[in-house]
Amino acid sequence: MSTQSEYASAGKVSLANQDDIPELIEIFWEAFSGPGEILFPHTDNGKKWLQRSFQNLLGRKSFYRPESKVAVVRNLNGKPVALAITHIVRPGQTIVGKSWMTRWSPCEDIPDMSEERLGAFFEPLAKAHYMVTGKEGHVFIELIMTKSNYRGKGYASALMTWVTKLADDLVVPCYLDAGERGMGICDRCGFRGQDIEFKYGGPPPWHEGP
């Protein structure tokens, strides 16, 4: 039975905690099912890497890397059904090259996980990211995901609004990568497409001013 507090929190944005990791992995795996399983295998070892990565994302602040926050929307049972992985990037902090390993987790000790394939996923996105933001401080929305049976309820928009307010409160721009499916919500949230496809060869990243 759902408690009154759970009904009150359903559909609202809150921060995830370590106890939420099993549900965060479930959301992540659904988003990266099918072809995405080549990168993020749905195996015990793939789960081990994601567990370690979410522990890292939810862990202590570090002076040497961007501050990570995992925002979630919960259902009536208090379980996360949508998430946004976001980072506060201070001036001079890097998001290029192999910096994904400090945000997420190294994988050389985990069978089934390929540093080469993960690098091929994260590093070109970081290159486009740097072309837009350089060494400027900003908030970086790395991923937004909603479980399929909870889509169409405005949860992604709620998460976007939460993150852009965080950027506004810090008086810094907000950045994310978006393909065609995400362009509508980006427009509604005040993002501007940055036309660097001639340099990068992929979909334009999006950038919102302070």
Side-chain angles (χ1 to χ4, degrees):
M1 180 180 294
S2 298
T3 66
Q4 186 174 357
S5 63
E6 286 168 345
Y7 275 101
S9 64
K12 296 183 178 180
V13 177
S14 61
L15 288 175
N17 57 60
Q18 299 282 344
D19 292 338
D20 293 322
I21 289 177
E23 285 75 28
L24 302 181
I25 292 174
E26 186 177 327
I27 298 168
F28 192 98
W29 268 358
E30 183 180 304
F32 284 97
S33 59
E37 294 177 41
I38 297 173
L39 276 172
F40 305 106
H42 296 191
T43 63
D44 288 343
N45 285 321
K47 179 181 287 187
K48 180 180 179 181
W49 182 80
L50 278 175
Q51 286 173 330
R52 195 163 69 183
S53 293
F54 276 116
Q55 287 168 354
N56 199 29
L57 291 165
L58 296 169
R60 296 180 180 178
K61 297 179 184 179
S62 170
F63 177 80
Y64 300 101
R65 68 179 190 191
E67 178 186 347
S68 300
K69 295 180 181 292
V70 182
V72 296
V73 176
R74 301 175 186 275
N75 64 13
L76 292 177
N77 296 318
K79 301 297 185 182
V81 294
L83 67 84
I85 297 172
T86 187
H87 313 278
I88 300 171
V89 184
R90 306 295 180 185
Q93 289 182 332
T94 183
I95 46 78
V96 297
K98 296 187 181 297
S99 64
W100 62 268
M101 291 187 186
T102 63
R103 295 195 307 277
W104 293 81
S105 172
C107 64
E108 70 278 356
D109 61 325
I110 302 179
D112 296 345
M113 299 301 300
S114 167
E115 181 179 327
E116 181 179 359
R117 285 196 293 266
L118 288 173
F121 173 75
F122 285 113
E123 291 166 27
L125 293 171
K127 180 180 178 182
H129 185 159
Y130 185 77
M131 288 178 183
V132 174
T133 62
K135 296 183 178 180
E136 178 184 28
H138 61 283
V139 170
F140 169 33
I141 305 173
E142 187 159 22
L143 292 170
I144 290 185
M145 306 167 172
T146 303
K147 292 191 73 172
S148 57
N149 54 330
Y150 287 89
R151 291 173 189 161
K153 298 179 181 293
Y155 293 172
S157 294
L159 288 165
M160 288 276 278
T161 299
W162 185 91
V163 179
T164 53
K165 183 181 184 303
L166 173 64
D168 290 344
D169 290 346
L170 294 171
V171 197
V172 295
C174 191
Y175 172 95
L176 79 159
D177 299 296
E180 290 184 6
R181 286 180 58 189
M183 289 182 180
I185 190 173
C186 289
D187 285 335
R188 292 193 297 274
C189 291
F191 286 82
R192 303 186 308 274
Q194 306 293 304
D195 186 9
I196 61 169
E197 190 163 353
F198 73 98
K199 292 182 179 179
Y200 175 53
W206 293 73
H207 186 272
E208 184 202 54

PDB file of all heavy atoms in Angstrom, residues 4-16 20 70-84 150 153-163:
ATOM      1  N   GLN A   4       0.893   8.198   2.246  1.00  0.00           N
ATOM      2  CA  GLN A   4       0.532   9.545   1.831  1.00  0.00           C
ATOM      3  C   GLN A   4       1.736  10.297   1.300  1.00  0.00           C
ATOM      4  O   GLN A   4       1.639  11.039   0.321  1.00  0.00           O
ATOM      5  CB  GLN A   4      -0.084  10.297   3.021  1.00  0.00           C
ATOM      6  CG  GLN A   4      -0.629  11.687   2.653  1.00  0.00           C
ATOM      7  CD  GLN A   4      -1.353  12.335   3.816  1.00  0.00           C
ATOM      8  OE1 GLN A   4      -1.499  11.731   4.870  1.00  0.00           O
ATOM      9  NE2 GLN A   4      -1.810  13.551   3.611  1.00  0.00           N
ATOM     10  N   SER A   5       2.899  10.104   1.931  1.00  0.00           N
ATOM     11  CA  SER A   5       4.106  10.803   1.472  1.00  0.00           C
ATOM     12  C   SER A   5       4.524  10.328   0.087  1.00  0.00           C
ATOM     13  O   SER A   5       5.030  11.107  -0.718  1.00  0.00           O
ATOM     14  CB  SER A   5       5.257  10.603   2.462  1.00  0.00           C
ATOM     15  OG  SER A   5       5.613   9.245   2.563  1.00  0.00           O
ATOM     16  N   GLU A   6       4.315   9.032  -0.204  1.00  0.00           N
ATOM     17  CA  GLU A   6       4.658   8.523  -1.531  1.00  0.00           C
ATOM     18  C   GLU A   6       3.750   9.119  -2.585  1.00  0.00           C
ATOM     19  O   GLU A   6       4.178   9.451  -3.692  1.00  0.00           O
ATOM     20  CB  GLU A   6       4.595   6.995  -1.534  1.00  0.00           C
ATOM     21  CG  GLU A   6       5.775   6.344  -0.805  1.00  0.00           C
ATOM     22  CD  GLU A   6       5.571   4.863  -0.555  1.00  0.00           C
ATOM     23  OE1 GLU A   6       4.426   4.389  -0.679  1.00  0.00           O
ATOM     24  OE2 GLU A   6       6.564   4.186  -0.241  1.00  0.00           O
ATOM     25  N   TYR A   7       2.445   9.267  -2.275  1.00  0.00           N
ATOM     26  CA  TYR A   7       1.539   9.914  -3.216  1.00  0.00           C
ATOM     27  C   TYR A   7       1.964  11.361  -3.447  1.00  0.00           C
ATOM     28  O   TYR A   7       1.897  11.876  -4.555  1.00  0.00           O
ATOM     29  CB  TYR A   7       0.105   9.885  -2.682  1.00  0.00           C
ATOM     30  CG  TYR A   7      -0.630   8.607  -3.002  1.00  0.00           C
ATOM     31  CD1 TYR A   7      -0.785   7.618  -2.046  1.00  0.00           C
ATOM     32  CD2 TYR A   7      -1.157   8.390  -4.275  1.00  0.00           C
ATOM     33  CE1 TYR A   7      -1.456   6.437  -2.331  1.00  0.00           C
ATOM     34  CE2 TYR A   7      -1.828   7.210  -4.567  1.00  0.00           C
ATOM     35  CZ  TYR A   7      -1.976   6.238  -3.593  1.00  0.00           C
ATOM     36  OH  TYR A   7      -2.629   5.068  -3.897  1.00  0.00           O
ATOM     37  N   ALA A   8       2.414  12.023  -2.388  1.00  0.00           N
ATOM     38  CA  ALA A   8       2.818  13.423  -2.509  1.00  0.00           C
ATOM     39  C   ALA A   8       4.057  13.577  -3.378  1.00  0.00           C
ATOM     40  O   ALA A   8       4.216  14.566  -4.088  1.00  0.00           O
ATOM     41  CB  ALA A   8       3.076  14.018  -1.122  1.00  0.00           C
ATOM     42  N   SER A   9       4.958  12.573  -3.338  1.00  0.00           N
ATOM     43  CA  SER A   9       6.217  12.693  -4.077  1.00  0.00           C
ATOM     44  C   SER A   9       6.118  12.176  -5.504  1.00  0.00           C
ATOM     45  O   SER A   9       6.982  12.466  -6.331  1.00  0.00           O
ATOM     46  CB  SER A   9       7.335  11.939  -3.344  1.00  0.00           C
ATOM     47  OG  SER A   9       7.056  10.554  -3.308  1.00  0.00           O
ATOM     48  N   ALA A  10       5.063  11.398  -5.806  1.00  0.00           N
ATOM     49  CA  ALA A  10       4.944  10.815  -7.147  1.00  0.00           C
ATOM     50  C   ALA A  10       4.864  11.923  -8.192  1.00  0.00           C
ATOM     51  O   ALA A  10       4.098  12.872  -8.071  1.00  0.00           O
ATOM     52  CB  ALA A  10       3.700   9.938  -7.218  1.00  0.00           C
ATOM     53  N   GLY A  11       5.675  11.791  -9.227  1.00  0.00           N
ATOM     54  CA  GLY A  11       5.681  12.764 -10.312  1.00  0.00           C
ATOM     55  C   GLY A  11       6.539  13.978 -10.059  1.00  0.00           C
ATOM     56  O   GLY A  11       6.708  14.816 -10.941  1.00  0.00           O
ATOM     57  N   LYS A  12       7.105  14.103  -8.853  1.00  0.00           N
ATOM     58  CA  LYS A  12       7.972  15.233  -8.539  1.00  0.00           C
ATOM     59  C   LYS A  12       9.437  14.826  -8.692  1.00  0.00           C
ATOM     60  O   LYS A  12       9.778  13.657  -8.627  1.00  0.00           O
ATOM     61  CB  LYS A  12       7.716  15.732  -7.114  1.00  0.00           C
ATOM     62  CG  LYS A  12       6.315  16.294  -6.916  1.00  0.00           C
ATOM     63  CD  LYS A  12       6.137  16.843  -5.508  1.00  0.00           C
ATOM     64  CE  LYS A  12       4.754  17.442  -5.327  1.00  0.00           C
ATOM     65  NZ  LYS A  12       4.576  17.993  -3.949  1.00  0.00           N
ATOM     66  N   VAL A  13      10.297  15.811  -8.873  1.00  0.00           N
ATOM     67  CA  VAL A  13      11.731  15.547  -9.054  1.00  0.00           C
ATOM     68  C   VAL A  13      12.419  15.560  -7.691  1.00  0.00           C
ATOM     69  O   VAL A  13      12.198  16.450  -6.866  1.00  0.00           O
ATOM     70  CB  VAL A  13      12.360  16.609  -9.975  1.00  0.00           C
ATOM     71  CG1 VAL A  13      13.869  16.378 -10.097  1.00  0.00           C
ATOM     72  CG2 VAL A  13      11.713  16.567 -11.362  1.00  0.00           C
ATOM     73  N   SER A  14      13.239  14.552  -7.464  1.00  0.00           N
ATOM     74  CA  SER A  14      14.058  14.477  -6.256  1.00  0.00           C
ATOM     75  C   SER A  14      15.407  13.895  -6.646  1.00  0.00           C
ATOM     76  O   SER A  14      15.610  13.459  -7.783  1.00  0.00           O
ATOM     77  CB  SER A  14      13.383  13.600  -5.187  1.00  0.00           C
ATOM     78  OG  SER A  14      13.205  12.270  -5.668  1.00  0.00           O
ATOM     79  N   LEU A  15      16.332  13.893  -5.700  1.00  0.00           N
ATOM     80  CA  LEU A  15      17.645  13.326  -5.969  1.00  0.00           C
ATOM     81  C   LEU A  15      17.666  11.844  -5.616  1.00  0.00           C
ATOM     82  O   LEU A  15      17.086  11.421  -4.611  1.00  0.00           O
ATOM     83  CB  LEU A  15      18.721  14.072  -5.168  1.00  0.00           C
ATOM     84  CG  LEU A  15      19.030  15.486  -5.651  1.00  0.00           C
ATOM     85  CD1 LEU A  15      20.028  16.156  -4.705  1.00  0.00           C
ATOM     86  CD2 LEU A  15      19.580  15.478  -7.071  1.00  0.00           C
ATOM     87  N   ALA A  16      18.323  11.062  -6.453  1.00  0.00           N
ATOM     88  CA  ALA A  16      18.467   9.629  -6.198  1.00  0.00           C
ATOM     89  C   ALA A  16      19.448   9.398  -5.059  1.00  0.00           C
ATOM     90  O   ALA A  16      20.258  10.268  -4.718  1.00  0.00           O
ATOM     91  CB  ALA A  16      18.941   8.923  -7.464  1.00  0.00           C
ATOM     92  N   ASP A  20      18.542   3.500  -4.585  1.00  0.00           N
ATOM     93  CA  ASP A  20      17.812   3.526  -5.854  1.00  0.00           C
ATOM     94  C   ASP A  20      18.561   2.829  -6.990  1.00  0.00           C
ATOM     95  O   ASP A  20      18.008   2.691  -8.089  1.00  0.00           O
ATOM     96  CB  ASP A  20      17.546   4.978  -6.286  1.00  0.00           C
ATOM     97  CG  ASP A  20      16.581   5.698  -5.366  1.00  0.00           C
ATOM     98  OD1 ASP A  20      15.611   5.066  -4.902  1.00  0.00           O
ATOM     99  OD2 ASP A  20      16.798   6.914  -5.115  1.00  0.00           O
ATOM    100  N   VAL A  70      22.135  12.864  -9.795  1.00  0.00           N
ATOM    101  CA  VAL A  70      21.172  12.024 -10.498  1.00  0.00           C
ATOM    102  C   VAL A  70      19.790  12.395  -9.970  1.00  0.00           C
ATOM    103  O   VAL A  70      19.444  12.081  -8.827  1.00  0.00           O
ATOM    104  CB  VAL A  70      21.450  10.528 -10.297  1.00  0.00           C
ATOM    105  CG1 VAL A  70      20.437   9.698 -11.085  1.00  0.00           C
ATOM    106  CG2 VAL A  70      22.882  10.182 -10.737  1.00  0.00           C
ATOM    107  N   ALA A  71      19.024  13.100 -10.792  1.00  0.00           N
ATOM    108  CA  ALA A  71      17.672  13.495 -10.428  1.00  0.00           C
ATOM    109  C   ALA A  71      16.699  12.440 -10.945  1.00  0.00           C
ATOM    110  O   ALA A  71      16.917  11.859 -12.018  1.00  0.00           O
ATOM    111  CB  ALA A  71      17.332  14.862 -11.011  1.00  0.00           C
ATOM    112  N   VAL A  72      15.647  12.193 -10.206  1.00  0.00           N
ATOM    113  CA  VAL A  72      14.687  11.161 -10.595  1.00  0.00           C
ATOM    114  C   VAL A  72      13.259  11.654 -10.404  1.00  0.00           C
ATOM    115  O   VAL A  72      12.994  12.577  -9.623  1.00  0.00           O
ATOM    116  CB  VAL A  72      14.882   9.855  -9.787  1.00  0.00           C
ATOM    117  CG1 VAL A  72      16.240   9.237 -10.068  1.00  0.00           C
ATOM    118  CG2 VAL A  72      14.688  10.084  -8.291  1.00  0.00           C
ATOM    119  N   VAL A  73      12.343  11.011 -11.122  1.00  0.00           N
ATOM    120  CA  VAL A  73      10.908  11.112 -10.852  1.00  0.00           C
ATOM    121  C   VAL A  73      10.463   9.731 -10.384  1.00  0.00           C
ATOM    122  O   VAL A  73      10.849   8.717 -10.978  1.00  0.00           O
ATOM    123  CB  VAL A  73      10.118  11.543 -12.098  1.00  0.00           C
ATOM    124  CG1 VAL A  73       8.621  11.545 -11.806  1.00  0.00           C
ATOM    125  CG2 VAL A  73      10.572  12.919 -12.570  1.00  0.00           C
ATOM    126  N   ARG A  74       9.679   9.676  -9.323  1.00  0.00           N
ATOM    127  CA  ARG A  74       9.281   8.407  -8.715  1.00  0.00           C
ATOM    128  C   ARG A  74       7.807   8.108  -8.985  1.00  0.00           C
ATOM    129  O   ARG A  74       7.000   9.017  -9.195  1.00  0.00           O
ATOM    130  CB  ARG A  74       9.532   8.450  -7.203  1.00  0.00           C
ATOM    131  CG  ARG A  74      10.996   8.715  -6.847  1.00  0.00           C
ATOM    132  CD  ARG A  74      11.192   8.876  -5.343  1.00  0.00           C
ATOM    133  NE  ARG A  74      12.561   9.270  -5.046  1.00  0.00           N
ATOM    134  CZ  ARG A  74      13.575   8.413  -4.917  1.00  0.00           C
ATOM    135  NH1 ARG A  74      13.343   7.101  -5.020  1.00  0.00           N
ATOM    136  NH2 ARG A  74      14.792   8.835  -4.660  1.00  0.00           N
ATOM    137  N   ASN A  75       7.479   6.826  -8.943  1.00  0.00           N
ATOM    138  CA  ASN A  75       6.083   6.417  -9.071  1.00  0.00           C
ATOM    139  C   ASN A  75       5.406   6.418  -7.702  1.00  0.00           C
ATOM    140  O   ASN A  75       5.999   6.830  -6.689  1.00  0.00           O
ATOM    141  CB  ASN A  75       5.968   5.063  -9.774  1.00  0.00           C
ATOM    142  CG  ASN A  75       6.615   3.928  -8.972  1.00  0.00           C
ATOM    143  OD1 ASN A  75       6.947   4.075  -7.791  1.00  0.00           O
ATOM    144  ND2 ASN A  75       6.800   2.793  -9.619  1.00  0.00           N
ATOM    145  N   LEU A  76       4.172   5.934  -7.643  1.00  0.00           N
ATOM    146  CA  LEU A  76       3.429   5.949  -6.380  1.00  0.00           C
ATOM    147  C   LEU A  76       4.053   5.053  -5.320  1.00  0.00           C
ATOM    148  O   LEU A  76       3.783   5.211  -4.126  1.00  0.00           O
ATOM    149  CB  LEU A  76       1.980   5.529  -6.628  1.00  0.00           C
ATOM    150  CG  LEU A  76       1.127   6.511  -7.433  1.00  0.00           C
ATOM    151  CD1 LEU A  76      -0.255   5.929  -7.671  1.00  0.00           C
ATOM    152  CD2 LEU A  76       1.036   7.855  -6.729  1.00  0.00           C
ATOM    153  N   ASN A  77       4.879   4.099  -5.733  1.00  0.00           N
ATOM    154  CA  ASN A  77       5.579   3.224  -4.800  1.00  0.00           C
ATOM    155  C   ASN A  77       6.927   3.786  -4.366  1.00  0.00           C
ATOM    156  O   ASN A  77       7.673   3.124  -3.641  1.00  0.00           O
ATOM    157  CB  ASN A  77       5.773   1.838  -5.404  1.00  0.00           C
ATOM    158  CG  ASN A  77       4.455   1.132  -5.656  1.00  0.00           C
ATOM    159  OD1 ASN A  77       3.562   1.193  -4.824  1.00  0.00           O
ATOM    160  ND2 ASN A  77       4.330   0.486  -6.797  1.00  0.00           N
ATOM    161  N   GLY A  78       7.235   4.993  -4.824  1.00  0.00           N
ATOM    162  CA  GLY A  78       8.496   5.623  -4.445  1.00  0.00           C
ATOM    163  C   GLY A  78       9.694   5.151  -5.233  1.00  0.00           C
ATOM    164  O   GLY A  78      10.838   5.476  -4.885  1.00  0.00           O
ATOM    165  N   LYS A  79       9.455   4.390  -6.312  1.00  0.00           N
ATOM    166  CA  LYS A  79      10.554   3.860  -7.112  1.00  0.00           C
ATOM    167  C   LYS A  79      10.840   4.791  -8.303  1.00  0.00           C
ATOM    168  O   LYS A  79       9.911   5.266  -8.952  1.00  0.00           O
ATOM    169  CB  LYS A  79      10.223   2.464  -7.630  1.00  0.00           C
ATOM    170  CG  LYS A  79       9.939   1.441  -6.528  1.00  0.00           C
ATOM    171  CD  LYS A  79      11.146   1.210  -5.646  1.00  0.00           C
ATOM    172  CE  LYS A  79      10.893   0.108  -4.632  1.00  0.00           C
ATOM    173  NZ  LYS A  79      12.064  -0.084  -3.725  1.00  0.00           N
ATOM    174  N   PRO A  80      12.119   5.049  -8.615  1.00  0.00           N
ATOM    175  CA  PRO A  80      12.432   5.885  -9.770  1.00  0.00           C
ATOM    176  C   PRO A  80      11.927   5.265 -11.075  1.00  0.00           C
ATOM    177  O   PRO A  80      12.089   4.069 -11.312  1.00  0.00           O
ATOM    178  CB  PRO A  80      13.964   5.947  -9.758  1.00  0.00           C
ATOM    179  CG  PRO A  80      14.348   5.662  -8.343  1.00  0.00           C
ATOM    180  CD  PRO A  80      13.334   4.672  -7.858  1.00  0.00           C
ATOM    181  N   VAL A  81      11.303   6.099 -11.910  1.00  0.00           N
ATOM    182  CA  VAL A  81      10.843   5.653 -13.230  1.00  0.00           C
ATOM    183  C   VAL A  81      11.386   6.543 -14.343  1.00  0.00           C
ATOM    184  O   VAL A  81      11.186   6.259 -15.524  1.00  0.00           O
ATOM    185  CB  VAL A  81       9.306   5.586 -13.290  1.00  0.00           C
ATOM    186  CG1 VAL A  81       8.784   4.497 -12.362  1.00  0.00           C
ATOM    187  CG2 VAL A  81       8.669   6.932 -12.961  1.00  0.00           C
ATOM    188  N   ALA A  82      12.059   7.614 -13.979  1.00  0.00           N
ATOM    189  CA  ALA A  82      12.725   8.494 -14.945  1.00  0.00           C
ATOM    190  C   ALA A  82      13.934   9.086 -14.244  1.00  0.00           C
ATOM    191  O   ALA A  82      13.920   9.293 -13.027  1.00  0.00           O
ATOM    192  CB  ALA A  82      11.789   9.593 -15.429  1.00  0.00           C
ATOM    193  N   LEU A  83      14.983   9.347 -15.008  1.00  0.00           N
ATOM    194  CA  LEU A  83      16.201   9.883 -14.405  1.00  0.00           C
ATOM    195  C   LEU A  83      16.889  10.867 -15.332  1.00  0.00           C
ATOM    196  O   LEU A  83      16.725  10.822 -16.555  1.00  0.00           O
ATOM    197  CB  LEU A  83      17.167   8.756 -14.027  1.00  0.00           C
ATOM    198  CG  LEU A  83      17.832   7.924 -15.125  1.00  0.00           C
ATOM    199  CD1 LEU A  83      19.090   8.596 -15.673  1.00  0.00           C
ATOM    200  CD2 LEU A  83      18.191   6.539 -14.613  1.00  0.00           C
ATOM    201  N   ALA A  84      17.640  11.756 -14.716  1.00  0.00           N
ATOM    202  CA  ALA A  84      18.525  12.669 -15.441  1.00  0.00           C
ATOM    203  C   ALA A  84      19.886  12.633 -14.766  1.00  0.00           C
ATOM    204  O   ALA A  84      19.977  12.846 -13.550  1.00  0.00           O
ATOM    205  CB  ALA A  84      17.977  14.094 -15.444  1.00  0.00           C
ATOM    206  N   TYR A 150       5.952   4.786 -18.581  1.00  0.00           N
ATOM    207  CA  TYR A 150       5.703   6.053 -17.895  1.00  0.00           C
ATOM    208  C   TYR A 150       5.929   7.250 -18.818  1.00  0.00           C
ATOM    209  O   TYR A 150       5.898   8.397 -18.361  1.00  0.00           O
ATOM    210  CB  TYR A 150       6.595   6.186 -16.657  1.00  0.00           C
ATOM    211  CG  TYR A 150       6.161   5.295 -15.518  1.00  0.00           C
ATOM    212  CD1 TYR A 150       6.649   3.998 -15.403  1.00  0.00           C
ATOM    213  CD2 TYR A 150       5.245   5.738 -14.569  1.00  0.00           C
ATOM    214  CE1 TYR A 150       6.244   3.165 -14.362  1.00  0.00           C
ATOM    215  CE2 TYR A 150       4.836   4.913 -13.517  1.00  0.00           C
ATOM    216  CZ  TYR A 150       5.341   3.622 -13.431  1.00  0.00           C
ATOM    217  OH  TYR A 150       4.934   2.805 -12.399  1.00  0.00           O
ATOM    218  N   LYS A 153       3.973  11.434 -19.752  1.00  0.00           N
ATOM    219  CA  LYS A 153       3.426  12.022 -18.527  1.00  0.00           C
ATOM    220  C   LYS A 153       4.132  13.322 -18.144  1.00  0.00           C
ATOM    221  O   LYS A 153       3.856  13.900 -17.097  1.00  0.00           O
ATOM    222  CB  LYS A 153       3.527  11.027 -17.370  1.00  0.00           C
ATOM    223  CG  LYS A 153       2.722   9.747 -17.583  1.00  0.00           C
ATOM    224  CD  LYS A 153       2.892   8.792 -16.407  1.00  0.00           C
ATOM    225  CE  LYS A 153       2.118   7.497 -16.614  1.00  0.00           C
ATOM    226  NZ  LYS A 153       0.655   7.709 -16.613  1.00  0.00           N
ATOM    227  N   GLY A 154       5.075  13.771 -18.970  1.00  0.00           N
ATOM    228  CA  GLY A 154       5.784  15.015 -18.677  1.00  0.00           C
ATOM    229  C   GLY A 154       6.969  14.864 -17.752  1.00  0.00           C
ATOM    230  O   GLY A 154       7.523  15.861 -17.271  1.00  0.00           O
ATOM    231  N   TYR A 155       7.411  13.613 -17.500  1.00  0.00           N
ATOM    232  CA  TYR A 155       8.513  13.410 -16.559  1.00  0.00           C
ATOM    233  C   TYR A 155       9.837  13.950 -17.109  1.00  0.00           C
ATOM    234  O   TYR A 155      10.633  14.528 -16.354  1.00  0.00           O
ATOM    235  CB  TYR A 155       8.642  11.937 -16.206  1.00  0.00           C
ATOM    236  CG  TYR A 155       7.484  11.369 -15.409  1.00  0.00           C
ATOM    237  CD1 TYR A 155       7.388  10.018 -15.150  1.00  0.00           C
ATOM    238  CD2 TYR A 155       6.486  12.205 -14.895  1.00  0.00           C
ATOM    239  CE1 TYR A 155       6.327   9.489 -14.406  1.00  0.00           C
ATOM    240  CE2 TYR A 155       5.431  11.689 -14.158  1.00  0.00           C
ATOM    241  CZ  TYR A 155       5.357  10.335 -13.919  1.00  0.00           C
ATOM    242  OH  TYR A 155       4.319   9.812 -13.188  1.00  0.00           O
ATOM    243  N   ALA A 156      10.097  13.733 -18.400  1.00  0.00           N
ATOM    244  CA  ALA A 156      11.338  14.263 -18.978  1.00  0.00           C
ATOM    245  C   ALA A 156      11.344  15.785 -18.925  1.00  0.00           C
ATOM    246  O   ALA A 156      12.375  16.403 -18.624  1.00  0.00           O
ATOM    247  CB  ALA A 156      11.494  13.774 -20.421  1.00  0.00           C
ATOM    248  N   SER A 157      10.195  16.409 -19.200  1.00  0.00           N
ATOM    249  CA  SER A 157      10.108  17.873 -19.120  1.00  0.00           C
ATOM    250  C   SER A 157      10.349  18.355 -17.696  1.00  0.00           C
ATOM    251  O   SER A 157      11.022  19.375 -17.478  1.00  0.00           O
ATOM    252  CB  SER A 157       8.742  18.349 -19.608  1.00  0.00           C
ATOM    253  OG  SER A 157       8.567  18.083 -20.982  1.00  0.00           O
ATOM    254  N   ALA A 158       9.815  17.621 -16.715  1.00  0.00           N
ATOM    255  CA  ALA A 158      10.027  17.995 -15.317  1.00  0.00           C
ATOM    256  C   ALA A 158      11.512  17.924 -14.958  1.00  0.00           C
ATOM    257  O   ALA A 158      12.044  18.799 -14.256  1.00  0.00           O
ATOM    258  CB  ALA A 158       9.210  17.088 -14.397  1.00  0.00           C
ATOM    259  N   LEU A 159      12.185  16.881 -15.442  1.00  0.00           N
ATOM    260  CA  LEU A 159      13.617  16.743 -15.178  1.00  0.00           C
ATOM    261  C   LEU A 159      14.407  17.857 -15.863  1.00  0.00           C
ATOM    262  O   LEU A 159      15.330  18.423 -15.274  1.00  0.00           O
ATOM    263  CB  LEU A 159      14.099  15.369 -15.642  1.00  0.00           C
ATOM    264  CG  LEU A 159      13.643  14.191 -14.773  1.00  0.00           C
ATOM    265  CD1 LEU A 159      13.847  12.870 -15.516  1.00  0.00           C
ATOM    266  CD2 LEU A 159      14.386  14.163 -13.443  1.00  0.00           C
ATOM    267  N   MET A 160      14.045  18.168 -17.104  1.00  0.00           N
ATOM    268  CA  MET A 160      14.734  19.252 -17.818  1.00  0.00           C
ATOM    269  C   MET A 160      14.552  20.573 -17.073  1.00  0.00           C
ATOM    270  O   MET A 160      15.497  21.366 -16.933  1.00  0.00           O
ATOM    271  CB  MET A 160      14.196  19.356 -19.235  1.00  0.00           C
ATOM    272  CG  MET A 160      14.606  18.225 -20.151  1.00  0.00           C
ATOM    273  SD  MET A 160      16.230  18.475 -20.910  1.00  0.00           S
ATOM    274  CE  MET A 160      15.792  19.554 -22.256  1.00  0.00           C
ATOM    275  N   THR A 161      13.333  20.827 -16.616  1.00  0.00           N
ATOM    276  CA  THR A 161      13.068  22.067 -15.884  1.00  0.00           C
ATOM    277  C   THR A 161      13.894  22.123 -14.604  1.00  0.00           C
ATOM    278  O   THR A 161      14.449  23.169 -14.246  1.00  0.00           O
ATOM    279  CB  THR A 161      11.564  22.173 -15.548  1.00  0.00           C
ATOM    280  OG1 THR A 161      10.818  22.187 -16.773  1.00  0.00           O
ATOM    281  CG2 THR A 161      11.267  23.431 -14.762  1.00  0.00           C
ATOM    282  N   TRP A 162      14.010  20.977 -13.905  1.00  0.00           N
ATOM    283  CA  TRP A 162      14.807  20.926 -12.674  1.00  0.00           C
ATOM    284  C   TRP A 162      16.261  21.259 -12.963  1.00  0.00           C
ATOM    285  O   TRP A 162      16.892  22.041 -12.230  1.00  0.00           O
ATOM    286  CB  TRP A 162      14.683  19.538 -12.056  1.00  0.00           C
ATOM    287  CG  TRP A 162      15.362  19.382 -10.731  1.00  0.00           C
ATOM    288  CD1 TRP A 162      14.821  19.586  -9.496  1.00  0.00           C
ATOM    289  CD2 TRP A 162      16.730  18.986 -10.511  1.00  0.00           C
ATOM    290  NE1 TRP A 162      15.755  19.342  -8.518  1.00  0.00           N
ATOM    291  CE2 TRP A 162      16.933  18.982  -9.105  1.00  0.00           C
ATOM    292  CE3 TRP A 162      17.779  18.647 -11.352  1.00  0.00           C
ATOM    293  CZ2 TRP A 162      18.155  18.638  -8.535  1.00  0.00           C
ATOM    294  CZ3 TRP A 162      19.002  18.315 -10.778  1.00  0.00           C
ATOM    295  CH2 TRP A 162      19.180  18.307  -9.393  1.00  0.00           C
ATOM    296  N   VAL A 163      16.808  20.689 -14.034  1.00  0.00           N
ATOM    297  CA  VAL A 163      18.227  20.911 -14.335  1.00  0.00           C
ATOM    298  C   VAL A 163      18.466  22.341 -14.812  1.00  0.00           C
ATOM    299  O   VAL A 163      19.453  22.976 -14.417  1.00  0.00           O
ATOM    300  CB  VAL A 163      18.737  19.894 -15.376  1.00  0.00           C
ATOM    301  CG1 VAL A 163      20.206  20.165 -15.689  1.00  0.00           C
ATOM    302  CG2 VAL A 163      18.571  18.472 -14.878  1.00  0.00           C
TER     303      VAL A 163
END
